[in-house]
Amino acid sequence: MTLNGGSGASGSRGAGGRERDRRRGSTPWGPAPPLHRRSMPVDERDLQAALAPGSLATTAAGTRTQGQRLDWPEGSSDSLSSGGSGSEEGVYKVLLLGAPGVGKSALARIFGGIEDGPEAEAAGHTYDRSITVDGEEASLLVYDIWEEDGGCWLPGHCMAMGDAYVIVYSITDKGSFEKASELRVQLRRARQTDDVPIILVGNKSDLVRSREVSVDEGRACAVVFDCKFIETSAALHHNVQALFEGVVRQIRLRRDSKEDNARRQAGTRRRESLGKKAKRFLGRIVARNSRKMAFRAKSKSCHDLSVL
Ligand SMILES: Nc1nc2c(ncn2[C@@H]2O[C@H](COP(=O)(O)OP(=O)(O)OP(=O)(O)O)[C@@H](O)[C@H]2O)c(=O)[nH]1
């Protein structure tokens, strides 16, 4: 996978700032004052414009910075690269959700190519990079803006704006695992009709001795909540690349399956004979009866981020 050289977090808000905000790669970016989540003045109208589904306008919570480092191996078939034009339809908003301290920012910073230390302090909360997965480029805007203790600005917007969600818990904190389930339920409520990809992430997998949530528990939770599952260690940069590649694949799989369905429906409407209709009806009955098998198949695949 190729991550396009890390233009980092995003800055100003408002739909009018769309083009201006999308400076990336080689564009020099003047110093922007870091904005803080809690103290940030929020104008509801600005946010609505900025966070409207489909809008590329970036979050009020972020400042855009330049990513400096390639975290993922160069020369691999899929790796990070710089700049990327990121066609507008190829830009996906990814929201990180989870209890405090589980490592959301650490994961986001690795994605953004931001080093720990002063650089990280100066970075905002939104990271913008182009990545090439399976030979196709996609731009991800990764939002690390979730505030879960009621201080979260406009949680409804957070739940509505994502093209994909990464729900993070710490494997060393059972409470954060329970919180992850709550967030999944909240998301389901907020996006009832959308088949939006959700990836459950057990972070801090390096802390083996303090583990409170087993891999099996994580996986079982993902099966129950119909999402994908992966364990990561931001500290060791383990599986972080796989996570973000998986996000892109999950988005694409849904996009492709929607397109296939639309194509099939269009064709079916034109040509479907009575025999075919009967076959489809029987197929549905069989599918219902094999729900148990489907559940088993799902539990096998919930950790495979490259399949639906
Ligand atoms: N050992 C270990 N520590 C981690 C890992 N990921 C994050 N941390 C540490 O956990 C602490 C919290 O990480 P953050 O990235 O700030 O967590 P967060 O979820 O963004 O927290 P909030 O900003 O409070 O929501 C920091 O001290 C990180 O260094 C990991 O994979 N392993």
Side-chain angles (χ1 to χ4, degrees):
M1 151 164 166
T2 312
L3 256 201
N4 284 339
S7 59
S10 51
S12 57
R13 39 191 171 129
R18 175 183 290 196
E19 284 310 313
R20 193 183 58 235
D21 287 338
R22 290 191 59 74
R23 293 192 196 184
R24 313 171 53 150
S26 60
T27 311
W29 190 248
L35 298 170
H36 300 289
R37 282 178 275 190
R38 286 174 201 279
S39 58
M40 182 183 60
V42 173
D43 181 307
E44 173 76 16
R45 282 161 308 175
D46 281 356
L47 268 174
Q48 284 189 352
L51 303 181
S55 161
L56 292 178
T58 49
T59 171
T63 54
R64 185 177 288 251
T65 56
Q66 296 285 325
Q68 308 273 316
R69 184 164 57 102
L70 297 183
D71 294 285
W72 297 335
E74 287 180 80
S76 67
S77 61
D78 295 320
S79 58
L80 301 174
S81 67
S82 162
S85 58
S87 69
E88 297 216 340
E89 58 283 7
V91 179
Y92 302 121
K93 297 184 196 120
V94 181
L95 265 101
L96 292 163
L97 309 179
V102 295
K104 300 183 294 296
S105 304
L107 291 168
R109 282 200 294 264
I110 292 171
F111 171 79
I114 305 294
E115 297 278 5
D116 284 340
E119 191 194 356
E121 289 301 308
H125 304 288
T126 308
Y127 301 85
D128 171 4
R129 291 194 100 161
S130 287
I131 61 181
T132 304
V133 181
D134 304 328
E136 191 188 334
E137 185 173 292
S139 288
L140 291 190
L141 272 171
V142 172
Y143 290 81
D144 172 31
I145 56 176
W146 181 251
E147 293 276 328
E148 76 123 41
D149 54 2
C152 172
W153 47 279
L154 302 179
H157 282 289
C158 290
M159 293 287 182
M161 68 186 274
D163 296 306
Y165 291 85
V166 172
I167 303 181
V168 188
Y169 66 90
S170 164
I171 63 130
T172 66
D173 177 2
K174 194 90 178 183
S176 73
F177 182 58
E178 281 152 16
K179 186 71 209 173
S181 300
E182 274 175 43
L183 285 166
R184 175 68 188 94
V185 171
Q186 268 177 264
L187 250 182
R188 180 181 280 166
R189 228 176 272 144
R191 305 291 293 265
Q192 271 169 8
T193 54
D194 301 341
D195 182 20
V196 60
I198 299 171
I199 293 150
L200 181 67
V201 176
N203 189 40
K204 306 199 185 182
S205 63
D206 55 296
L207 299 176
V208 281
R209 289 190 190 177
S210 322
R211 186 184 273 278
E212 289 183 4
V213 185
S214 71
V215 177
D216 283 346
E217 282 175 295
R219 207 172 276 168
C221 180
V223 172
V224 168
F225 285 115
D226 194 20
C227 51
K228 292 289 170 183
F229 173 71
I230 192 168
E231 280 202 352
T232 57
S233 165
L236 302 178
H237 289 208
H238 176 64
N239 267 350
V240 181
Q241 177 177 358
L243 166 63
F244 288 103
E245 284 178 3
V247 167
V248 171
R249 290 193 177 108
Q250 287 301 306
I251 291 170
R252 284 184 185 157
L253 283 163
R254 279 161 180 78
R255 177 199 65 188
D256 294 347
S257 113
K258 250 185 228 160
E259 284 171 6
D260 282 354
N261 280 346
R263 226 173 289 132
R264 215 173 299 132
Q265 269 174 10
T268 309
R269 246 177 266 132
R270 250 178 276 130
R271 291 189 307 270
E272 194 170 56
S273 68
L274 205 63
K276 275 188 184 162
K277 273 184 192 159
K279 216 170 166 186
R280 200 151 50 88
F281 176 71
L282 285 172
R284 254 187 250 140
I285 291 174
V286 172
R288 222 173 290 151
N289 289 341
S290 58
R291 208 176 284 158
K292 222 177 186 176
M293 277 169 64
F295 180 82
R296 254 185 242 135
K298 253 187 195 170
S299 51
K300 273 185 207 150
S301 70
C302 77
H303 57 280
D304 184 349
L305 275 59
S306 62
V307 297
L308 267 179

